[in-house]
Amino acid sequence: MLLSITYSIITMALACFLGVFLANLILEFGFAKLISKPLAPLMRFANLPTIFSIPAIISTIDVRGGMSIVGSLKEKNGIEDSAVIAYKLVTRPFSTVFFLFRYYLPISIAALGFFVGSLFVALSFASAFICMLIGIAYGRLRVKKADFEIDMPETRRRDAIKSSLNSAIEMTKKVVARYVVVVAIVSLLVYFGFFDLLSQNIDVYTKQFGFSSNFALLISIHILSPMSSVLTAGEFLRNGLISVKECLIALLIGRFLFVAIMDYPRHSLPFYASIFPLRLASKLVMAGIAVNAIATPILIAVVILAF
């Protein structure tokens, strides 16, 4: 466990440093307007600064790096909390691209087969776009500074690299310090079995809805290990132990419960709290859980209607 935590801290530090350093270089050399141009209309439509297009694009490659850039921009320019929340929701499809090539495509297609795997990937992207629509609505309703734009320099500065390095180092120090503290707290909760107790209680209630034992088993496995549940679902399908409909619904419910019980409290909250104040970090986690709670029933209804 200690090795895993150490790896996580090192990964966080590298992602934060490289993300903030790159973003500052882009700003210093005046490339921001050029890079942000393709996504600028989307950002304006959601009442967000067009400069947020840069972390949105970067999040397709490195989700942590993208959010670190947002944290740096907020700290330097006093961007309101509601804009950060709206950004996170609006850019969900871009961060999903990162997980698509790293997890969804290599595992889902291979384990579930092309047809069912493609359906699961499509449902995952549909969830991301529902999140984006909710984020746009939230931004238009809650972000007050609709005309706010960050001043982006057009001329190259002689000390651009030095300034960018200093900014990245300072931001990384703050992020790592906060991250270590929050991870320590979460690790204590894991050690005392807090999250295991939650997952066990969820498993009991799931079985009361009349689904098959394999359905409940898939949900239980997904709460603890999404990758293992997808592999198990593939074996169930190949052996006729579960229907396609039950398989997809179980994976959707399992994904939501994993996000709400495991991923956001244990991983996202420490990450957000390392970049933003704890209050905003908590809001980001609650917003993520809320939009998933909205999207999941919609996707389940689609599966039920289709099968």
Side-chain angles (χ1 to χ4, degrees):
M1 184 176 180
L2 182 60
L3 183 62
S4 176
I5 292 173
T6 303
Y7 174 78
S8 178
I9 292 172
I10 293 173
T11 303
M12 162 69 73
L14 288 174
C16 177
F17 177 81
L18 292 174
V20 174
F21 177 64
L22 177 61
N24 277 279
L25 273 184
I26 290 171
L27 288 170
E28 293 287 353
F29 290 136
F31 297 144
K33 285 184 177 179
L34 179 64
I35 293 177
S36 64
K37 203 170 184 179
L39 296 181
L42 174 62
M43 297 300 159
R44 291 196 189 97
F45 190 61
N47 281 357
L48 297 175
T50 55
I51 195 68
F52 274 5
S53 300
I54 295 175
I57 292 172
I58 289 177
S59 67
T60 62
I61 303 171
D62 183 357
V63 177
R64 292 185 173 189
M67 284 303 291
S68 296
I69 295 170
V70 174
S72 178
L73 291 172
K74 174 177 170 57
E75 186 173 298
K76 287 184 177 180
N77 299 278
I79 297 172
E80 58 187 306
D81 288 359
S82 57
V84 177
I85 296 171
Y87 162 83
K88 180 58 183 173
L89 299 179
V90 169
T91 58
R92 178 69 178 276
F94 301 100
S95 59
T96 301
V97 171
F98 169 79
F99 293 106
L100 171 68
F101 292 102
R102 191 171 180 179
Y103 300 108
Y104 288 135
L105 283 180
I107 298 170
S108 299
I109 302 295
L112 302 175
F114 181 78
F115 176 67
V116 180
S118 297
L119 287 177
F120 182 57
V121 170
L123 289 169
S124 299
F125 264 99
S127 176
F129 280 103
I130 292 172
C131 181
M132 182 180 73
L133 293 175
I134 294 173
I136 291 173
Y138 178 85
R140 295 185 68 84
L141 290 172
R142 296 300 300 273
V143 179
K144 298 176 182 178
K145 298 179 181 180
D147 59 346
F148 174 63
E149 294 294 340
I150 296 172
D151 183 30
M152 295 178 288
E154 296 293 341
T155 57
R156 177 172 178 172
R157 298 176 183 177
R158 198 179 293 177
D159 59 345
I161 296 178
K162 183 179 178 181
S163 174
S164 299
L165 275 172
N166 290 336
S167 179
I169 290 170
E170 288 302 312
M171 186 66 181
T172 302
K173 285 180 180 177
K174 292 179 182 179
V175 166
V176 171
R178 291 180 183 178
Y179 190 67
V180 169
V181 173
V182 179
V183 165
I185 295 172
V186 174
S187 297
L188 285 175
L189 292 174
V190 173
Y191 178 78
F192 288 109
F194 175 76
F195 296 106
D196 289 338
L197 181 62
L198 276 178
S199 63
Q200 288 170 9
N201 289 331
I202 291 294
D203 183 38
V204 171
Y205 287 110
T206 301
K207 292 178 180 177
Q208 293 179 355
F209 284 95
F211 291 104
S212 69
S213 58
N214 289 331
F215 178 88
L217 180 61
L218 273 185
I219 293 176
S220 301
I221 295 173
H222 203 113
I223 293 173
L224 299 175
S225 175
M227 187 183 302
S228 298
S229 73
V230 173
L231 294 173
T232 304
E235 289 301 313
F236 283 175
L237 285 171
R238 277 188 286 275
N239 290 281
L241 300 175
I242 195 171
S243 67
V244 172
K245 181 171 75 172
E246 269 196 323
C247 173
L248 291 174
I249 293 176
L251 292 176
L252 289 172
I253 295 175
R255 188 185 64 171
F256 168 69
L257 294 177
F258 170 75
V259 165
I261 297 174
M262 296 292 187
D263 188 42
Y264 278 178
R266 294 176 61 178
H267 300 109
S268 296
L269 181 60
F271 170 56
Y272 293 148
S274 68
I275 299 174
F276 307 107
L278 184 58
R279 183 178 179 182
L280 175 55
S282 300
K283 287 181 180 179
L284 286 168
V285 168
M286 293 306 296
I289 294 174
V291 295
N292 275 286
I294 294 171
T296 300
I298 295 173
L299 298 176
I300 290 174
V302 170
V303 172
I304 292 173
L305 291 173
F307 293 94

